[in-house]
Amino acid sequence: MLQISCPYCGARAEIEFRCGGQAHLERPGPHDQVSDRQWAEYLFYRDNPKGVSLERWVHRFGCRQWFNVARSTLTHEILAVYGMGEQPPQLEGTKR
Amino acid sequence: MSKLERMSPLGRGISATAYSSEFVSLRQQTFFGVAKVIVRKSDLLGSPELEALLGVRAPQMANTVVQGSGVEIAWAAPNQWLLLGDEAEVARICAAAQTAFRDETALVLQLTHAYAVFQIEKTGARDVLASLCPLDLHPRAFAPGRCAQSLLGDAGVFIQQCNEAPSFRLMVDQTYAGYAWRLLSEACKSLSSS
Amino acid sequence: MFLQEPKDLTRHYSAASLLREGFNKQKGWAPAWRDAAPKAEYDAVIIGGGGHGLATAYYLAKEFGMTRIAVLEKGWIGGGNTGRNTTVIRSNYFFPESAAFYDFSLKLYEGLTRDLNYNIMFSQRGMWNIAHDRHGVEMLHRAVNAMLLNGVDAELHDGAEVKRRIPILSDAPRYPVMAGLLQKRGGTARHDAIAWGYARAADMRGVDIVQNCEVTGFDIVDGAVTGVRTTRGDIKTGKVALAVAGNTSVLAELAGFRLPIISYALQACVSEPVKPVLDTVLLSISHGVYISQSDKGELVIGSAIDLYPSYAQRGNLPVMEHTAAGVVDLFPRFSRMRFLRQWAGIVDVMHDSTPVVGLSPVKGLYLNCGWGTGGFKAIPGAGFCYAHTIAKNEPHPLTAPFSLKRFETGALIDEAAGAGIAH
Amino acid sequence: MSGFRLEKGGRIDRSRPLSFTFEGVSYEGYAGDTLGSALMANGVSMLGRSFKYHRPRGLLAAGLDEPNAIMQLEDGAQARPNVKATGVELYDGLRAAPVNAWPSLSFDLLSVNSMFARFIPAAFYYKTFMWPHWSLFEPAIRRAAGLGVSPEASDEDIYDKRYAACDVLVVGGGPAGLQAAQAASRSGARVMLVDHDAQWGGSLMASNRHVGQDPADDWIGRVVEELRAAPETQLLNRTLAFGFYDHGLVGLCERLTDHLPLAERSGPRLRFWKVRAKSVILATGAIERPLVFPNNDRPGVMLAGAGATYAARYAAAPGRRAVFAVNNDSGYESAAVLRRLGVDIAAIADARPGLSAKGAQMAASGINVFTASTITNVRGGKKVRAAELHKLDDDGQAVKGSAALVECDTVLTSGGWSPVVHLYSQAGGKLRFDEQIQAFVPRECGQHVLCVGAAGGEFSLTQGLADAARAGAAAARDCGFDAADIEPATVDGEAFGNIRPIWQVDVSGLAGERGKAWLDFQNDVTSDDVALAIRENFKSVEHVKRYTTLGMASDQGKTSNVNGIGVMEGALGKPMAQVGTTTFRPPYDPIEIGAFAGRRVGENIAPLRPLAAEDAHEMLGARFEDYGGWRRPAFYAQDGEDEHAAVRREALAVRDGVGLFEASPLGKIEVAGADAREFLNRFYVNNMATLKPQRCRYGVMLDENGVVLDDGVLACLGPNRYLAGTTSGHAALIADNMDEWLQCEWPDLDVVVQEVTTNWAVMNVNGPRARDLLRKFDCSIDLAAEAFPHMHVREGEIEGVACRIQRVSFSGELSYEVAVPWGFGASFWAALMDAGREFGVSPFGVETLMALRVEKGFLHVGADTDGMTLPQDIGFGGVISRKAADFIGRRSTMRPDSLRDDRRQFVGLECLDGSAKPLTVGAHVLLPESAPPALTQGWVTSSVYSAALGKPVALGMVANGRERIGEEVKIWDRGVSRRARISAPGAYDPEGKRLHV
Ligand SMILES: Cc1cc2nc3c(=O)[nH]c(=O)nc-3n(C[C@H](O)[C@H](O)[C@H](O)COP(=O)(O)OP(=O)(O)OC[C@H]3O[C@@H](n4cnc5c(N)ncnc54)[C@H](O)[C@@H]3O)c2cc1C
Ligand SMILES: NC(=O)c1ccc[n+]([C@@H]2O[C@H](COP(=O)([O-])OP(=O)(O)OC[C@H]3O[C@@H](n4cnc5c(N)ncnc54)[C@H](O)[C@@H]3O)[C@@H](O)[C@H]2O)c1
Ligand SMILES: Cc1cc2nc3c(=O)[nH]c(=O)nc-3n(C[C@H](O)[C@H](O)[C@H](O)COP(=O)(O)O)c2cc1C
Ligand SMILES: [Zn+2]
C-alpha cells in the first residue's frame, strides 16, 4: 500500500486516494475543429512509461484536492508531488 | 396536525447508542450542529465579516481546529471549513454568513442532518480507531486541536481530537451511522477481550 | 536439422514413452525445445515468449509454412502473464465479433492437447458468472441470449439452482446469488503447459526459441522495419511481431509510436492445497473475484488490478483484502483456508477491454496487445489469427475488428458495457 | 525416530500436562510444547505422507520451515487444514490428524505410487493422459492431490485488523532482533518488535550459550523486560510478519487465541496488522539446509539444529542414538547440545577434509568424527535403523569401499544455513551469493530495510549482536532520534570454520540402487527430477521450479530452494549466483483468508444505507432490496401479495389517487458561483445557459467518451445557485467528476460545489390527488397549478421546517418532490401517510416506480442505457444540434461510429401476442424470420405489466429503431420467441396531459 503525500494533508495511506491517470493531458478544442485522431490521442493514447510516470491523484477521502505526482512505475517510489497546473520538476527518466 | 419530529441517525436498528468499558467509551452525540463554508477566493477567508462572525480567524493550517465564539472551526480543504457546535449557534452563524457572502462565490450550507457524530474516549480509543482507520493517531502525530478526514472502514470520516484524555469526535455521513456504529462497537468489544 | 514431424518416436509423448523411460532412468528424453542462439537473419521475428508469441510461431510454421522464424524472449518462456494467470478459459462474450473469435480459440483449446502432443490439462468443468441483484440478473439474461445467438453454449439458472449445483456456496451471503450463467465448455488449463507445449511443437517445426534475449530497439527505414536490436546482437528481418503483453507500450516507444494502453498490475493468489472441494469456475463481478481449484488442490483466486499504472509485477494489500472478503462471502468455509502465495502480472489494458491484433503504424511491425486481464483463453485463437496477419500482411477476418482504428472511429467493442465483464 | 521426553530441562511447564489426540490416539504433552515436540516426546515418528509418492514422513524441522508434518486440526467450524505441527502450540484437548493418507498413516493405499515412482518422474502428467481424453483421468488425479480437507462449516471466528505506524519495526525476536530493538528503543523512538513464536529468544532458546556473563535465558529475560517497560515500544509475540509491501508497509498476522483450548477462546482469533514503518530491521534468522542423499526423507532424519531445539527447548529428544552428517561447524554445536542432554552421538560425518577447531574438540571428547565423509543412505523404512557413511574424494564423490554402517535411531544433518531474506526480497531488495557461507544474502534495497544477525548472513553471534546494536541505533537516528550507540553483548567460544558445499551427495560411484534423494520433501521433488528438468531444457531456475514444483508446496521451499539451486549449479555448470533464486512472495507462511477479509464480512462488506423512514417502510410490509448500496423498498406486500400484484396495486393507486415514495437517495449537489451557469452548461448535454431561477430542467451528462453517464434534474435556486440532481447510485461519482473538472480542467471558473444528498430526505407525493394531500400541511409555498407549474422549484417551510419542493415527475402524474432535513424525514413520511389516509394514499416502491416510468417511456440510465449508449441513441440528437457550446463528451458524439444510422436506439416494444406476461428484460430483438445463430437487432431493456393500460409494455434498444417504428420484430429469449412491434416509447398518456394539472 502506497503512502502518498497530499500537498495539503501530508502523508496518507493509498486507500484515501484515487489515481486519475496521466497528468498534463491537454483537452483539444474547440470541439468542431478537432480531428478524430487528435481526439483519440487525448482520450485513449497514453505514454504508459516504464519508469517515471507523471500522473494526477485526488485525495478522495481527505481534502478532495487534485494534485500531480511523479512516481516510478517500476519501484512505485514517489519522486515528487506538485500542484495542479504546475510544471513537473526536472527528474531523471522523465519524458517531455 | 402535529409538528414534525427530529430523529437521530442511529434512530433505528441499533439497540444501544453507548458502549462503555474500562478502556473505552463510545457514544452518539445527537443534534450536533455542522455547517460547511466554502469560498472561492482565499482572501475571503481573511474577511473581517467572516472573522467577526466566527469570533476568530478561520484556521489556515491544514487539519487544524480553532475555537471560535460558540462554534469550533475546522479546516476541511483549501478555502473550506466546517463549523461545529451547538445547532442553534451554527444555524445563526450560517444565516449571517449567507447574507455576508451573498455577492460572492461561496456556499454556506448547514449539514447538520448529513452527519452522524460519535464521541470515543479513554485509553483504548486510539486502538479502536486504529482497527478501522489508517491515520496515525499517536500523540506524537496527532493531538488536541488536530483534525483529519480519512476512512473508517470503507466510509469517509472526519476525526477531531478534542482533548488529551484522549477524546475524539468522529463524523460520518449519517447513512453510514449504523455501519460505523457496528464497526466501532465491535472493535471496542474486541479490545476488551484481547 | 530438427524433426519436422511430431510423431517421431524419440520425441512423442505417451504412456508408452513414459514406460520406456521408466526403465531407462529417464535418460532418453530429448529437450522439450532447443536452446537456440539467435541467427543473424530471420523471415520473421516474434518478440515475447509468452503463450501468444509461441502459439503464433507454431501456427506460422504449421499453417503458413514459415519456419525461418524466431521467438525472442527477454527472460524465460512463459514467465510473463502466461505463467501467472488464473487460467480461466471461456467464450461467453457478448458481441458477435468477440464471440466468434473467442469461441474459435476455445475450439482450438479443445483439440490442443492432441495437436501439440502435450497434455495441457484442459478441464471443461464449466464456468459460472453469477449475479447478485436484479440488474445483474437482467444483464445475465441479455448475455445468455447474446451467447446463444452467437452460437455459443450457455445456460441460465436461478439462484436456487446455482446453489444446488455448487452446494458449498454461502447460505446467507451479503450479496445473494440470484442467478448464474453457465458455460459448460468453459474451464481451466495448465498455464505453463500452454507455453511449453507450444514451444515444443514450434521447435519441432524448426522455430528458434531464443531466451534471455531482450529486444532493445528497432531498425526502421522509410517507415518499414528492417531488423531488431537485442541484448544478444542485431537481427535482420522484414517482419517483426510484438507479443509482449504489459510491455507493449515500452516496445512501441522504441519503435516511435504510442498506443492506447495502460499497464496495470493484476493480482492473483493461491491457497494451500486441499482435497477436491470446488469442481467448477465461479466469477462474481460484484465481488471482483473469480475462483477455481487447480488439479493440485489449491484454490486459484483471481483478484482485481491495482488502480494505478505499474510495471512492478508485485501485488498490493488493499486489493487482496477486498478479494478475501469476496471469497469469504461466497464461501464462508474458505475463511479458514490460507493464502499460500500472492503475485501479480502486468496487464495491457485498453479502454474497451478488447485487444488489437493487426497492423501498426510501422510497416512490417505487427501488434498483438491489449488482452488485459483476459488473454490466456485467446492464446490459440490469437496465435492462429496473428500468424495469418504476419504471413499475409493483413488481418485475419476474425481479428479484423480488433484494430487500432476503432479508437478513432469510436467503434469500440466494449465487453464491459455489453456483458459486464471487463475481459 | 524413537523420540522420547527428557527427564528434565526445556522450556516446558511440567506442572501443566495437556492431553491431545493424533489420529484418534490420546497422548500427553506439556504447556510450552508444540504439537510437533509433543509427538516427538511420545515417540510418534511418522507424522505424514508425502504429496505424490505417499512416503512415510516424520519431522524435519522445528519451525515454519517444516515440510512434512502437515496436520488437519479439529473439525467443524474450528477445522484448520494443512497446519504445520511445528507451528502449533499444544493446548489441552487438541485433536490432530495427518493429511493425505488413507485409510491410515501406517497403511496408506496410495503408497503404491512409490512403487511406480520410476514411471512418474517430474511433470509426467504433461506427457500422458492424453488418450482418450484428460477428463477421464482428471477426477482421480484430483482426488489423489491436495493435502488436508477444506473446513465444511462456515467460519464463526472474528478477525480483527489494526493499522499501526512506527519509527523502527524489528522483525524477529532472536538475539539480533532483541539487541536491535533495545538499541532503537532506548532513543525513545516508536519501536515495534514482533516474532511469530510465542516466546522470545529465537535460536538462543536452544543453545548452550552465555551472552556476556549470563546464561542466554537471563539475557533474553532482561532485554524483554526493558523493552516491555519502554513506553514507546510495543512487543508482539505470536505475530508473523508475512509480507513486505510498498513504502515501508509490513503486514503482520497476530494469533490471539489459536494456542488456547477451544473452550477458552473468545474475542478475535487473529489480528491482521498493517504497519507503516519508517525503518525496518529484519532479524529473521537463518534456515538450516538438509543434506541431500538417498532416502534422506525417512522419518528420523532431521535437521541438526532442529534436533537440538527439540531437546533443549522442548525436552524432547529425537532419538537415543544419533548420527550427524554435516558440512559446517554448526552441527557440532547441535551435537554438543544433544550430548549434554543425554543423547548418544554415534558418529559425526563431516564432509570437510580436515578437522575444524570445533570438530577437534568433539573428537577429543571421545566422539567418532569422520572427516571427508558423509552419509550415503539410511536403512529403515518407517524408522531409522542405521546410517551408511562413506568417505568423499576431492571431487565430492563417495568413495567405493569406504563404507561404514552405523546403527542409530536418528540422523541429524546440516548442509549449511540460508538467511531468511524473504521479506527483504519482497521489499525489492536484491541478493548476492556469498561464497563464504554458501548462501544468498542481502545486497541492496530501495526501501529502508536492513537485515541483521543470521538474516544478514552474519552467523557469528558476537558480530551479529554488534551489527544489530548499531543498526537499531542508526535506524532510530534516521527517524530523527538522538540514539546513542549501546554496548552490544558479547558471546564466547565462537569459532567458525568453513563450509564445504555438497549440494547433493554423489553416490554414482557406489554399487547398488540407493533410491532417490529428496530436495522438496512435501512436493516429493528429488535431485533426479531437477536433473531431468535440465535435460529437457528447463534450465532457468523458474522453469525448474514450475516443471518439478520444487518450492511450490506449503512451506514454499524454505528448506529446499537453495539446495535445489545447488543441484542446478552442478547440472548446469553455472555458478549459483548466476542460477539465481526464484521470486520470494508474500505470505512468508500461509495466512488465513479470513484474516485478510477482517471485519469486511456479512453486512459490513458493503454497508447498505437506510432511508430516512426505514422503520415506517418496514412496518408497511416493504420488501427491501439493495439498489446501488441503498436499502430500499422494492414494493410493499399486503396480505400475502406477490410482487406482481403489489406493483399493480401500487401503480394504480398512483394513477388514480396518490402514492407516496421515499426518494431520499436522489443525488443532490449544490453548485454556486459567478460561473456556475457556464460550468453546468459544459457539464450537461442540454443547454443549461437559459435555465431561469425557480425553474428545473431535465439533463443528461456524458463522460468524455460520449457515453451517457447520468441524468437528472437541474434546478436553478437563484442567480448563480443551482441544485443538480443525479440518480441515486451516482451522486458521489458526479460530485467527484465536478470537482475533477473544476480543479484539473477549468480552474479559472468561479464555481464552488458541495454534495448534500444525505442532508435532505425527499418524499415524492405522486398522483392526481398529490396537491390535495400536500395542502393539508402548513406550507409557505403556494402549490396552486398556476403559481407552481410543472418543472419548477420552490424553497420554503413546511410545518415550520425548511423544505425544498420540485415539481418533477417520473410517473407522468402530478408530482411533488418535497425535501426536508433528513432527521425530519421519518416524521414527515408518517405525517404524509396520516394526511393521505382520506385520499387512499399508497406507499410504493422502486419496482412500482419502474413500472410507472416504463409506461411513460421514461429512460432509466443504467437500465435502458449501458456503457455504449450515446445521447443521440436516446433521442438527444436534436438537443445537441441546437446547442452551440462544447460540453463534456461532445466531440465523441461526432465520431464516425457515433454518426452511424444503424446505431441502437431507444424505442418502445409492444407485445402482439395478447399475453399479459411482460417481455423478458434481456431478451433480444430479431428480425421476424431469423433464428439463431443470428445477428441481434437489440434487446429489451425495461419491461412491465401496465395495470393502467391492461397490457405489458416494454422499452428497448433497437438498431435504427426510431426509423423502424411500426415494424414487427421477434423477441427471442432462450429459444422462445414472441411477436412484438417497435413503437415510440411511452404508451401511457403520450401527450402528457396529466402532468400539467
Ligand atoms: C493474475 C492474472 C490473471 C489472469 N487471468 C486470466 C484468466 O483467467 N483467463 C485469461 O484468459 N487470461 C487471464 N489473464 C491474462 C493473460 O494471462 C494474458 O492476457 C496472456 O497470458 C498474455 O499472453 P502473452 O503471451 O501476450 O503475454 P506474456 O505471457 O506476458 O508474454 C510476453 C512475453 O514478452 C516478453 N518480453 C517483454 N518485453 C520483451 C522484450 N523487450 N524483448 C523480448 N521479450 C520481451 C516477456 O518477458 C514475456 O515473457 C490473467 C493475467 C494475470 C496477470
Ligand atoms: N553456526 C552457524 O553456522 C550459524 C548459522 C545460522 C545461525 N547461527 C546462530 O543463530 C543465531 C542467529 O540469531 P538471530 O537473532 O539472527 O536469529 P534467530 O534465528 O535467533 O531469530 C530469528 C527470529 O525471527 C523470528 N522470525 C523469523 N521470520 C519471522 C517473521 N517473518 N515474522 C516474525 N518473526 C520471524 C523467528 O521466530 C526467530 O525467533 C546466532 O546465534 C547465530 O550464531 C549460527
Ligand atoms: C494456476 C496457478 C497455480 C499456482 N499454484 C501454485 C502452487 O501450488 N504453489 C506455489 O507456490 N505457487 C503457485 N502458483 C504461483 C507461482 O508460484 C508464481 O507465484 C506465479 O506463477 C507468478 O510467478 P512469480 O511469483 O515467480 O513472479 C500458481 C500460479 C498459477 C498461475
Ligand atoms: Zn488532502
Side-chain angles (χ1 to χ4, degrees), chain D residues 479-494:
Chain D
C479 301
F481 292 85
D482 194 9
D485 279 323
I486 66 170
E487 190 65 36
T490 56
V491 182
D492 323 317
E494 282 199 310

Side-chain angles (χ1 to χ4, degrees), chain D residues 192-404:
Chain D
M192 285 178 83
L193 172 66
V194 305
D195 200 302
H196 66 76
D197 206 311
Q199 301 187 29
W200 301 101
S203 58
L204 266 192
M205 285 188 273
S207 79
N208 280 339
R209 293 252 173 78
H210 274 62
V211 181
Q213 306 304 315
D214 310 319
D217 270 8
D218 296 358
W219 181 80
I220 297 168
R222 233 187 19 246
V223 178
V224 170
E225 206 176 303
E226 176 185 333
L227 292 172
R228 284 225 173 90
E232 295 300 344
T233 296
Q234 186 171 21
L235 270 67
L236 295 173
N237 61 342
R238 300 195 175 95
T239 302
L240 180 83
F242 66 80
F244 202 132
Y245 298 88
D246 285 321
H247 300 181
L249 190 95
V250 179
L252 313 177
C253 179
E254 181 183 8
R255 298 198 171 265
L256 298 166
T257 62
D258 278 354
H259 60 291
L260 299 172
L262 299 187
E264 288 173 28
R265 296 180 185 182
S266 70
R269 175 180 168 215
L270 307 178
R271 182 169 288 140
F272 186 96
W273 290 77
K274 290 171 270 187
V275 180
R276 182 84 63 184
K278 294 204 181 96
S279 191
V280 179
I281 294 177
L282 298 174
T284 43
I287 290 174
E288 196 166 17
R289 301 186 293 250
L291 285 181
V292 180
F293 59 90
N295 294 315
N296 62 340
D297 68 326
R298 288 300 183 204
V301 181
M302 292 185 69
L303 292 170
T309 299
Y310 281 112
R313 178 169 173 190
Y314 302 106
R320 291 174 204 278
R321 194 173 149 83
V323 164
F324 276 75
V326 304
N327 67 354
N328 70 96
D329 271 334
S330 71
Y332 290 102
E333 247 177 88
S334 303
V337 169
L338 283 170
R339 188 176 189 220
R340 179 171 57 88
L341 297 172
V343 175
D344 194 6
I345 310 296
I348 299 180
D350 189 331
R352 295 171 296 178
L355 269 183
S356 67
K358 285 243 157 107
Q361 250 174 28
M362 246 325 140
S365 71
I367 303 264
N368 245 336
V369 179
F370 299 94
T371 54
S373 297
T374 196
I375 181 166
T376 51
N377 201 0
V378 173
R379 301 281 175 90
K382 291 174 184 171
K383 268 183 190 213
V384 172
R385 284 191 285 108
E388 260 180 69
L389 307 180
H390 276 88
K391 280 271 168 220
L392 289 172
D393 65 17
D394 291 349
D395 299 329
Q397 204 182 60
V399 179
K400 200 170 170 176
S402 67

Side-chain angles (χ1 to χ4, degrees), chain C residues 26 33 77 114 119 123 134-135 142 145 174 273 275 295 314 321 335-337 339 341-342 409, chain D residues 79 82 118 126 132 138 155 157 161 246 274 535 537 543 591 593-594 606 625 643 866 897 974:
Chain C
Q26 315 291 340
W33 72 94
I77 61 166
R114 302 266 197 101
N119 185 4
S123 169
R134 281 176 196 252
H135 181 62
R142 194 170 119 170
N145 285 316
R174 156 68 177 84
K275 296 292 175 195
D295 287 338
R314 190 167 72 226
E321 294 175 81
S335 170
R336 301 179 80 81
M337 297 265 302
F339 281 140
R341 192 170 168 101
Q342 166 198 4
T409 63
Chain D
N82 296 352
R118 55 157 42 164
Y126 296 125
E138 190 185 29
D155 193 355
D157 272 311
K161 290 210 180 179
D246 285 321
K274 290 171 270 187
R535 262 202 307 285
N537 200 32
H543 275 157
I591 301 289
I593 296 178
E625 276 182 39
E643 173 170 347
D866 58 27
D897 193 73
R974 285 171 293 159

Side-chain angles (χ1 to χ4, degrees), chain D residues 5 112 128 137 146 325 381 416 670 722 823 853 919:
Chain D
R5 182 73 77 188
V112 297
T128 183
F137 302 94
E670 297 229 10
Y722 296 83
R853 66 104 195 153
L919 297 172

